[in-house]
Amino acid sequence: MNRLQSDIRLRQSEIFLLIYHLTFAGIFTWYIQLHGGDAKGYWELSVETVQNPQRWMGHWGTRSYFIQWLNFIPAKVLGLPFWLGNVLYSLASFWSIREILRMLWVYFPDRSGIWQQAVLLLIFLLPNLHFWTSGIGKESLSLVGLVLFMKGSLHLKKNWYVLVLGIALSYMVRPLQGGILLAFALPLLLMEKGLPSWSKWLGSVLILALGLMALRFLLYITHIDHLNAEGIAQFSEGQMEFLEGFGAGSQVPMSAYSWGMKLWTLFFRPFVGEASGFWEWAAALENLMGLLLLMVFLSGIRKFRFSQIPRFIWIGIGFGLILTFVYALTLNNLGIIMRMKSVYMVFFYLLAWERVRSVE
């Protein structure tokens, strides 16, 4: 396939993904209107109470405060409806999904067979990625922050400010995720070719200083007095008890599970056989596909060309593995697990797809 045909194919894929993703914005709006959720509260600026709710900067802060701060002008000043807010967030997350596809296209031009292309298309159509990022909430912005970081890391000397923006946005939405990306920035800086030594030293000092500040803030908001096994265990227990208070039907006894069962739960549950409703069945089928991709990946791992996997996929996988460890200690609800992993699971699927792509 020549370059022109490849570019046309890419553009067609992007248009189809845009329509598909915006459809999920409609589904998300309907779902929240029917079942409720934080998205409505974010748009109404009611999830977090502040001292000066009538002032824009009165909502400034990290996490939910930041979401309300972003929503202040479109929701309160301009009076835009809730559904349009979901569309705006959906367009932001679509940009991220499109950029992932474009980065993938650069490294793996459209030279695969029909069935390999079909598997890739299916990966990009899996509903969990689109549903949770197509509405007002942290998932949409978390994905944007992660992809900004990836794009900046590919050409650090030229696009370092894009990487910094990705860290900043991720930190404001979820400080832990921003801290992870900040930690990733240090080896990326040191390995970058073409940068003068003084800039690497200065950047390293700045990253370490910001990392220390981020760590102190994380300990503050999690109420962990000391970063040791006892402090982490107490935080984990408190987080599990907090989630148990919601009485959700998809609660699982994560604290009693072995690490093998924790990982199975985080990556593959709900699984076929334990789903009872439409949404659980959709999640179960996606998890089944994830397991099949893992099996294909493991079947050829001895011959796998790890060196050919692009940097941005490794960043997504490293990001996901660290969060998986954290979620194993803090989450005990399958619905919340599906939501939280929606941002990074696509990179695990793309790693497995490279094995699928190599199969004749």
Side-chain angles (χ1 to χ4, degrees):
M1 180 176 292
N2 61 41
R3 178 65 179 273
L4 178 60
Q5 289 176 317
S6 180
D7 290 345
I8 292 174
R9 187 68 173 270
L10 175 60
R11 185 57 58 87
Q12 290 173 339
S13 300
E14 291 174 349
I15 293 173
F16 179 76
L17 277 174
L18 175 60
I19 296 171
Y20 183 78
H21 193 64
L22 288 178
T23 300
F24 272 88
I27 296 172
F28 184 89
T29 301
W30 167 80
Y31 180 89
I32 296 298
Q33 296 283 20
L34 186 64
H35 299 282
D38 288 341
K40 197 75 178 294
Y42 286 141
W43 198 245
E44 296 172 350
L45 313 182
S46 61
V47 171
E48 298 288 356
T49 56
V50 298
Q51 292 184 348
N52 298 300
Q54 304 304 318
R55 295 180 61 250
W56 184 26
M57 293 308 297
H59 295 270
W60 176 255
T62 61
R63 299 162 291 164
S64 297
Y65 295 101
F66 181 68
I67 305 297
Q68 292 185 178
W69 179 81
L70 282 178
N71 294 342
F72 186 89
I73 291 179
K76 190 174 184 65
V77 177
L78 300 179
L80 300 182
F82 174 65
W83 68 265
L84 187 52
N86 287 326
V87 170
L88 293 176
Y89 274 74
S90 184
L91 289 174
S93 56
F94 166 73
W95 173 86
S96 304
I97 297 171
R98 187 196 67 178
E99 290 304 311
I100 295 172
L101 180 62
R102 287 188 173 188
M103 287 188 288
L104 192 71
W105 215 269
V106 171
Y107 286 94
F108 304 122
D110 194 12
R111 298 170 185 161
S112 304
I114 296 298
W115 78 276
Q116 289 96 337
Q117 294 178 32
V119 172
L120 180 62
L121 177 62
L122 184 57
I123 288 173
F124 274 92
L125 295 182
L126 289 173
N128 200 49
L129 170 64
H130 294 274
F131 180 80
W132 291 113
T133 64
S134 64
I136 301 164
K138 297 174 182 176
E139 281 66 38
S140 175
L141 299 180
S142 293
L143 184 61
V144 173
L146 177 59
V147 172
L148 282 171
F149 181 90
M150 290 175 173
K151 286 183 66 64
S153 72
L154 296 180
H155 304 285
L156 189 57
K157 184 177 181 180
K158 179 181 178 182
N159 296 326
W160 61 269
Y161 62 93
V162 179
L163 181 141
V164 171
L165 180 60
I167 295 174
L169 178 59
S170 298
Y171 183 83
M172 294 305 296
V173 175
R174 287 195 170 108
L176 173 61
Q177 296 183 11
I180 293 171
L181 295 182
L182 184 62
F184 285 0
L186 182 57
L188 290 174
L189 173 65
L190 295 176
M191 292 187 299
E192 183 70 14
K193 298 178 181 179
L195 288 177
S197 298
W198 68 265
S199 64
K200 291 186 177 183
W201 279 106
L202 180 61
S204 298
V205 171
L206 183 60
I207 289 172
L208 291 173
L210 291 174
L212 180 60
M213 294 171 59
L215 178 60
R216 292 181 62 182
F217 183 68
L218 283 169
L219 294 177
Y220 169 75
I221 62 177
T222 55
H223 305 289
I224 298 178
D225 296 327
H226 302 284
L227 190 61
N228 52 31
E230 182 181 357
I232 293 173
Q234 291 177 351
F235 171 71
S236 174
E237 182 180 353
Q239 182 68 15
M240 296 286 188
E241 291 177 355
F242 172 75
L243 292 177
E244 287 174 1
F246 290 99
S250 58
Q251 182 178 315
V252 290
M254 287 286 281
S255 58
Y257 285 164
S258 65
W259 270 99
M261 190 60 187
K262 287 178 189 288
L263 293 176
W264 172 262
T265 300
L266 287 165
F267 281 105
F268 304 117
R269 294 182 66 189
F271 200 65
V272 176
E274 58 182 351
S276 58
F278 174 80
W279 299 107
E280 289 187 8
W281 266 106
L285 291 175
E286 178 167 334
N287 288 332
L288 174 61
M289 179 179 173
L291 179 61
L292 293 175
L293 285 171
L294 174 64
M295 294 171 65
V296 172
F297 172 73
L298 293 177
S299 68
I301 194 170
R302 291 184 178 180
K303 299 180 180 179
F304 193 77
R305 297 167 294 184
F306 287 95
S307 60
Q308 294 189 12
I309 301 302
R311 176 186 290 180
F312 79 92
I313 291 182
W314 287 125
I315 290 173
I317 290 173
F319 182 79
L321 287 175
I322 294 174
L323 287 178
T324 295
F325 174 77
V326 174
Y327 295 159
L329 299 175
T330 57
L331 300 182
N332 60 359
N333 181 285
L334 295 180
I336 297 177
I337 288 172
M338 288 298 295
R339 177 176 180 174
M340 299 295 280
K341 72 179 186 178
S342 63
V343 174
Y344 59 78
M345 280 305 297
V346 63
F347 301 104
F348 288 90
Y349 299 149
L350 290 176
L351 177 65
W353 178 78
E354 166 55 12
R355 167 58 186 158
V356 173
R357 197 179 72 90
S358 65
V359 175
E360 298 296 336

